[in-house]
Amino acid sequence: MPIVRIELFPGRSAETKAEIGLEITKVLEAVAGIKPTATTVVFTEISPSDWLVAGEPFSAHAQLK
C-alpha cells in the first residue's frame, strides 16, 4: 500500500488537495497497477519560515517559487 507524502506551503484549498490526491492515485493505478483503495495521500503544510534551502530561509530563494 503506497503512502504518498506531500509537503507544501499552506494556502491550497481542500478542493485543490483533493484533486491532487485523485490525480496521484490515478497515476499509481495506471502506471503501477495499484488499486485506488490501496493508495493514501498525506499533505503536510509547512510554514515558509520553517522551510530552509541551502541552510537559509526559503524567502532568500524566492526564485524557486
Side-chain angles (χ1 to χ4, degrees):
M1 163 162 69
I3 299 174
V4 179
R5 298 181 188 276
I6 300 173
E7 297 175 343
L8 70 171
F9 295 142
R12 273 56 168 214
S13 68
E15 293 82 11
T16 296
K17 289 189 267 186
E19 183 177 351
I20 292 167
L22 178 61
E23 293 302 319
I24 287 170
T25 301
K26 287 179 182 178
V27 167
L28 287 172
E29 181 179 26
V31 174
I34 298 168
K35 293 180 182 180
T37 55
T39 298
T40 300
V41 179
V42 178
F43 290 91
T44 303
E45 294 186 341
I46 301 173
S47 170
S49 64
D50 293 329
W51 196 301
L52 303 175
V53 176
E56 298 178 355
F58 180 80
S59 60
H61 298 272
Q63 72 276 5
L64 296 176
K65 290 183 182 178

